[in-house]
Amino acid sequence: MSRHAFACIVTWLAALAAVPPSSAAEAIDVGSPQLRLSTTLAWPPTPEATFSARIRQPASALQAQVAARQDDLLQAMDQAQRQQKQMNDLQARLAQAQDESRLNPVVVALAGLLLALTAGAAAFWWRLRGLRAPDASA
């Protein structure tokens, strides 16, 4: 048996199992959200969302809604400005940290001088040790 045929049979059995028995079936309203194909229409609109309900609302309630939405918008804009300022501050700190992480010429010169002094001291110690070694064997 091919996989496609097996998948079709399993799908058919699952659909058959999902159908309630005819004795327990209740009358389903034709306008029921369960029968709609679109997921956007899965829930019927609330009574407040209909046009006739909005017409019946007083103008002050509608103006309060507009004012509340404007306040929300202003708060969102303020938050966006604060986040932008924080982002700019972080970028400035990052640029400063990157500038500071670069090698400073004074530090490089001092490190080179320290390396040269260490090499000179090692060479002096090695030469001094070589001069004392014949004296110890004699």
Side-chain angles (χ1 to χ4, degrees), residues 60-116:
S60 61
L62 294 174
Q63 289 174 349
Q65 289 177 355
V66 168
R69 289 188 178 144
Q70 286 176 347
D71 290 341
D72 291 343
L73 180 62
L74 288 174
Q75 288 176 355
M77 288 174 59
D78 287 342
Q79 183 179 4
Q81 286 177 348
R82 279 185 269 131
Q83 287 177 347
Q84 184 66 34
K85 184 180 181 293
Q86 288 175 350
M87 183 67 82
N88 290 340
D89 291 343
L90 286 175
Q91 287 176 347
R93 286 175 52 193
L94 178 64
Q96 182 183 5
Q98 286 176 346
D99 288 341
E100 290 174 357
S101 69
R102 293 194 180 110
L103 292 178
N104 191 349
V106 174
V107 174
V108 172
L110 288 175
L113 181 63
L114 181 64
L115 184 64

